[in-house]
Amino acid sequence: MSLYSAIEPRSSGFLEVSKLHKIYYEECGIKDGIPVIFLHGGPGGGFGERDRRYFDPEAYRIVLFDQRGAGKSTPAFCLEENDTWNLVADIEKLREHLGIEKWIVFGGSWGATLALVYAEKHIDRVLAMVLRGICTLRKEELRWFYQEGASYLFPDRWEEYVEPIPEEERGDIMTAYYKRFTGDNVEERLRCAKAWSKWEMSISQLRINPDTLSLCADDSFSLSLARIECHYFINEGFFDSPNYVLDNANIIHESRIPVTIIQGRYDVCCPAKTAWELYKKLPNAEFYLIEDAGHSAKEEGITKKLVEACDKYKTLVKA
């Protein structure tokens, strides 16, 4: 099953979620379809045209939005008033603004983290969940990707990633990058943002994709992704306990809502261990480990399974 054909938004706009922030959103598909919200990754990644295409536009009312500081939302790259709990509140404000009672929640990578936290906070508003490339922003996950672990598999790309950071600061690379992302040196900030983004984009797929890597050439994309990601990661997701997401997964399990978990076997950004631990907390969920895939939703096996999951829910789930 491939993606659905490209579609244009049926409506779009900006929603003021605070005196500082306005979030950009789109609606696609049919107005009276099953509501589904797409939560993009990063944080800071924004959504793209491809993200509309996992869903049958004849069956779904598709909602997509750029989280605070990302994509078309304003102000760009802003870290002020930008944390997990504000994003959860934004999702609820958008739901109320659009007059939706309940919706399917679809998210990958950081989008899966946000989807889980939203569901744990507002389970009565969730019809079903489709989750891909699971992460929960625990220290062990962040250390694997940004300090020691993935570096053993990609020493050539790791060398480029750490190059902007002096050797004496490499004992805590995230902190060193955050200092530069929030500093006054604009040129250094951009240089570091591109190095951070290139590291992530270059190892997100089982086989490197030049189109994915080319995203790093865009200054806005790199600044948004790197600054906002690092802001969230330094603060460990703004959670009040180190295992917050998994510790509260029982709320989802007890609700009996349908959940599909899709994970690449060779995901080095968000290793399969976390997805497996989530599955143990949600034993009634459908769990698919894609053998020939890494982290990206653009990989064929993952794309196919995401579309299949959404096709199944359009007949099983009623708003």
Side-chain angles (χ1 to χ4, degrees):
M1 175 64 69
S2 60
L3 293 168
Y4 282 93
S5 298
I7 53 174
E8 293 299 317
R10 178 169 48 79
S11 64
S12 63
F14 287 87
L15 177 65
E16 185 175 311
V17 291
S18 78
K19 291 182 179 179
L20 177 61
H21 287 277
K22 292 181 181 178
I23 58 170
Y24 173 77
Y25 69 90
E26 292 181 355
E27 285 194 90
C28 308
I30 58 173
K31 189 173 183 179
D32 59 351
I34 299 168
V36 59
I37 185 165
F38 176 92
L39 302 180
H40 67 69
F47 74 86
E49 295 179 3
R50 188 182 189 276
D51 300 322
R52 306 167 184 157
R53 300 172 57 196
Y54 296 106
F55 318 100
D56 181 353
E58 298 299 319
Y60 279 107
R61 179 182 180 183
I62 307 157
V63 180
L64 311 95
F65 80 102
D66 288 325
Q67 297 158 29
R68 295 190 182 201
K72 297 179 182 178
S73 292
T74 62
F77 332 132
C78 181
L79 305 182
E80 187 179 349
E81 297 178 14
N82 197 339
D83 62 52
T84 304
W85 304 112
N86 275 313
L87 298 190
V88 168
D90 292 350
I91 297 170
E92 272 296 274
K93 288 174 184 175
L94 183 58
R95 182 190 61 77
E96 293 171 356
H97 176 72
L98 297 176
I100 293 171
E101 183 179 354
K102 295 184 178 184
W103 45 16
I104 296 174
V105 182
F106 179 112
S109 192
W110 158 255
T113 315
L114 184 57
L116 288 163
V117 176
Y118 172 78
E120 291 165 0
K121 196 80 170 175
H122 299 286
I123 195 63
D124 57 324
R125 298 302 178 185
V126 181
L127 292 168
M129 304 183 76
V130 179
L131 307 171
R132 186 268 310 165
I134 309 301
C135 65
T136 62
L137 271 61
R138 292 175 295 179
K139 283 184 178 179
E140 65 193 68
E141 300 170 43
L142 296 170
R143 180 172 178 81
W144 159 269
F145 194 26
Y146 293 104
Q147 187 66 42
E148 185 177 29
S151 56
Y152 295 166
L153 298 174
F154 300 95
D156 49 344
R157 296 169 197 167
W158 179 261
E159 191 171 284
E160 294 181 22
Y161 165 63
V162 299
E163 193 276 329
I165 305 301
E167 287 193 21
E168 61 270 19
E169 294 185 56
R170 292 180 187 174
D172 187 348
I173 295 172
M174 279 204 302
T175 296
Y177 264 111
Y178 194 62
K179 181 172 73 173
R180 288 157 177 82
F181 292 152
T182 55
D184 296 330
N185 188 324
V186 176
E187 289 184 5
E188 184 180 44
R189 186 189 308 165
L190 180 57
R191 176 179 171 233
C192 287
K194 288 187 176 250
W196 175 286
S197 301
K198 186 177 180 182
W199 163 245
E200 183 167 333
M201 294 298 104
S202 68
I203 69 171
S204 66
Q205 293 174 248
L206 189 58
R207 294 176 179 83
I208 191 166
N209 185 326
D211 291 338
T212 300
L213 199 54
S214 70
L215 293 171
C216 305
D218 185 302
D219 293 357
S220 293
F221 174 83
S222 289
L223 283 167
S224 176
L225 185 73
R227 274 172 55 85
I228 298 175
E229 274 192 344
C230 197
H231 173 65
Y232 274 71
F233 297 166
I234 280 287
N235 289 285
E236 296 175 24
F238 301 92
F239 300 131
D240 57 14
S241 61
N243 204 42
Y244 180 90
V245 179
L246 293 178
D247 284 346
N248 287 280
N250 63 295
I251 296 170
I252 300 171
H253 175 62
E254 291 166 5
S255 74
R256 300 294 178 181
I257 62 169
V259 178
T260 299
I261 302 168
I262 298 163
Q263 177 73 33
R265 166 75 76 181
Y266 299 104
D267 187 338
V268 294
C269 301
C270 302
K273 178 178 181 286
T274 302
W276 187 251
E277 290 172 337
L278 176 64
Y279 177 47
K280 292 299 182 181
K281 296 282 188 176
L282 304 175
N284 296 326
E286 293 182 333
F287 182 83
Y288 298 99
L289 200 55
I290 310 302
E291 293 291 344
D292 58 348
H295 180 68
S296 176
K298 295 179 180 178
E299 292 173 277
E300 184 177 352
I302 293 180
T303 296
K304 180 176 183 290
K305 192 57 70 174
L306 288 170
V307 174
E308 285 179 359
C310 295
D311 277 352
K312 184 191 70 174
Y313 286 144
K314 74 185 181 185
T315 60
L316 291 182
V317 175
K318 299 297 180 185

